[in-house]
Amino acid sequence: MGNIKLSRRGLLQSLNKVAATAAFSTASTGKLFAAPQNYTGRLFMTIQADGAWDTASFCDPKANIAGESIINNWATTGAMDTAGNLPFAPVANNADFFNKHYTKMLVINGIDAQTNSHSTGILHNWSGRNSAGFPSLTALFSAQHAPHLPLSYLNYGGYAETARLIRYTRLNDVNALLSVLTPNVLPWDRTQTFQNPDMLEAVKEHQQARLQRLRSRATNLPRAQYAMDAYYSARQNAAGLEDFAAVIPSSDELQNNSFKQQMQMTVLAFKSGVACSADAFLNGFDTHADHDAEQMPKLAELTAGIDYLWDYAAEQGIADRLTVLVASDFARTPWYNSSNGKDHWPIGSAIVMEHNPSWGNRVIAGTDDKQNILKVNPNTLIPDTSGNIIYPKHIHQALRGYLGMSGGVLNDMFNLNTTEQFNFFG
């Protein structure tokens, strides 16, 4: 063979071309994962109860045990209740919530976050892995199903790692959002524009042409290529932003409660076809002192917001397309500390919700009477000493399969390496 010299840069360029061809090849449309221009597919939302919720006073209720430390003050005079097959604690507004929505719910108790650290618990529960680098489930969903949408992935706070697959959009300020959605409209007089609309269209065409030239360069790295393709497609579909802006309520019609407003804006974004996934966020669950006085109002606010979400989604005609995952960092101890608070407990719960699912009105009992973990048979979902511990990765892997994300390139890139497959949705 001849004397071949290949620089490091040349080698990387060659490997990038192979990778781009094999795994990240793009069609003439520039879309790695083709999706219709007007997205009418599935919608996915997570609700992050930040700070670690008390599952023993919510979806995994625990009575007090004679001779043991008190688990719940409410259990000294009251008893757990049920809605359908789901047990719940008779505090906050739990009764109204469970009685109204139990048919939508799959409750998974006994999820081992393997940590008492907030940062690791958040990372583990929302990425499926307890070390950094994996995207949130919502980011993966958007990148897989509709990266072309102009606001494909919405986030209001909390975990939002994208692994550079896609950008997320924060919707915390409606007025700022309107200035982005309609940048040519005067904020103090929304009947007037800054620039002549025809001139603005010419500028947009030149911008898009420049982006096309950039994304056509052979030296683009695969992930950069993917991001450019998604951005190019999103700009092509940016006209939908005007549809979204047109349905945003006036300030006096917006929900006053910030958590409910997250639900309102998300539903409108979904309805307008500009987004397909979102992370809602409610903090305040880290109740190390005065637990009952602090935790119960937060649980009530959480369930009121979720209730509003489903009502508003039904009103806007998208409830039958929506899947919701509700969870937290982990749970709280099955006893009170010296400040009448509850500290961190690694064994938590998650709730998956849909409109009229075949798997609704079900609970997986993964904890004992003292809130200790139980092994569960992955097929029967019944406690079994020969079964397996449920980890966040099992929730993620099951949802990936259920939401159509288990067979693609991105699933392989971020493989959760689950040897057991829990039949949560069978």
Side-chain angles (χ1 to χ4, degrees):
M1 294 181 65
N3 185 19
I4 300 175
K5 293 183 178 180
L6 185 62
S7 68
R8 180 176 181 273
R9 179 179 177 83
L11 175 61
L12 287 173
Q13 288 177 353
S14 298
L15 291 174
N16 286 336
K17 288 178 181 178
V18 172
T21 301
F24 289 89
S25 59
T26 57
S28 59
T29 61
K31 298 174 186 175
L32 176 58
F33 301 103
Q37 182 139 344
N38 297 315
Y39 183 74
T40 58
R42 302 178 80 162
L43 306 166
F44 179 57
M45 186 173 187
T46 69
I47 297 177
Q48 303 182 22
D50 186 68
W53 59 358
D54 183 11
T55 56
S57 290
F58 187 49
C59 60
D60 191 15
K62 301 301 177 187
N64 296 325
I65 300 171
E68 302 281 351
S69 298
I70 290 176
I71 299 176
N72 289 302
N73 285 325
W74 59 260
T76 60
T77 56
M80 66 182 73
D81 205 344
T82 59
N85 297 320
L86 308 186
F88 64 86
V91 293
N93 291 332
N94 291 348
D96 290 342
F97 177 71
F98 279 86
N99 284 320
K100 182 175 178 179
H101 297 288
Y102 71 91
T103 59
K104 298 183 180 75
M105 301 166 66
L106 168 66
V107 177
I108 305 172
N109 295 323
I111 303 169
D112 188 359
Q114 299 179 288
T115 184
N116 280 333
S117 162
H118 284 298
S119 58
T120 305
I122 291 168
L123 178 69
H124 201 180
N125 276 289
W126 298 114
S127 76
R129 200 173 73 154
N130 60 7
S131 56
F134 271 33
S136 67
L137 198 57
T138 28
L140 199 64
F141 182 91
S142 290
Q144 176 78 32
H145 288 300
H148 67 294
L149 296 180
L151 305 177
S152 186
Y153 174 24
L154 306 178
N155 177 271
Y156 298 88
Y159 189 81
E161 174 60 52
T162 65
R164 298 184 180 180
L165 295 175
I166 198 166
R167 291 178 175 87
Y168 66 77
T169 302
R170 281 278 168 89
L171 295 187
N172 294 42
D173 185 328
V174 174
N175 289 326
L177 173 65
L178 283 170
S179 69
V180 172
L181 297 181
T182 54
N184 197 38
V185 175
L186 297 177
W188 56 87
D189 183 359
R190 302 202 64 82
T191 65
Q192 302 295 319
T193 60
F194 286 107
Q195 300 290 341
N196 179 286
D198 292 336
M199 182 181 294
L200 186 62
E201 276 306 309
V203 171
K204 289 179 179 178
E205 288 178 7
H206 283 287
Q207 288 176 331
Q208 197 73 346
R210 179 178 181 273
L211 183 57
Q212 171 61 29
R213 291 193 298 273
L214 291 174
R215 64 192 278 267
S216 299
R217 295 185 304 187
T219 56
N220 289 338
L221 294 173
R223 284 194 179 184
Q225 183 71 51
Y226 182 92
M228 279 193 210
D229 289 337
Y231 183 47
Y232 179 84
S233 298
R235 286 182 63 97
Q236 281 184 314
N237 297 327
L241 294 175
E242 296 178 1
D243 297 334
F244 181 30
V247 299
I248 293 177
S250 59
S251 57
D252 59 336
E253 294 176 316
L254 284 170
Q255 288 292 316
N256 292 326
N257 177 274
S258 62
F259 185 55
K260 284 188 178 181
Q261 190 177 114
Q262 293 177 34
M263 308 301 176
Q264 184 179 27
M265 295 299 294
T266 298
V267 168
L268 291 174
F270 286 168
K271 171 73 172 180
S272 301
V274 298
C276 70
S277 76
D279 299 318
F281 177 79
L282 181 64
N283 60 11
F285 288 89
D286 197 19
T287 49
H288 289 281
D290 297 323
H291 172 79
D292 291 1
E294 298 292 332
Q295 182 83 195
M296 304 314 164
K298 297 309 295 187
L299 287 173
E301 185 178 4
L302 177 71
T303 55
I306 300 171
D307 176 61
Y308 173 78
L309 168 67
W310 284 107
D311 285 351
Y312 196 53
E315 180 183 320
Q316 296 298 320
I318 64 165
D320 59 345
R321 297 167 53 200
L322 180 61
T323 303
V324 178
L325 171 64
V326 190
S328 188
D329 316 11
F330 30 71
R332 310 210 71 82
T333 51
W335 62 80
Y336 293 84
N337 60 28
S338 59
S339 299
N340 292 316
K342 288 189 175 184
D343 300 317
H344 299 170
W345 188 252
I347 313 305
S349 302
I351 300 173
V352 185
M353 301 182 73
E354 268 190 11
H355 179 68
N356 291 329
S358 60
W359 38 260
N361 189 22
R362 295 171 63 201
V363 59
I364 296 164
T367 62
D368 64 14
D369 292 342
K370 296 182 180 180
Q371 207 175 331
N372 295 307
I373 201 161
L374 295 174
K375 291 183 176 180
V376 173
N377 184 299
N379 294 313
T380 65
L381 304 180
I382 295 173
D384 185 341
T385 56
S386 299
N388 300 98
I389 294 173
I390 301 173
Y391 296 112
K393 66 180 180 180
H394 295 122
I395 312 298
H396 281 248
Q397 192 62 58
L399 278 167
R400 285 187 187 187
Y402 183 70
L403 296 172
M405 297 186 286
S406 62
V409 172
L410 298 184
N411 182 72
D412 294 339
M413 286 176 58
F414 300 101
N415 196 317
L416 292 167
N417 296 316
T418 53
T419 55
E420 318 83 25
Q421 301 292 325
F422 280 80
N423 188 28
F424 294 129
F425 306 107

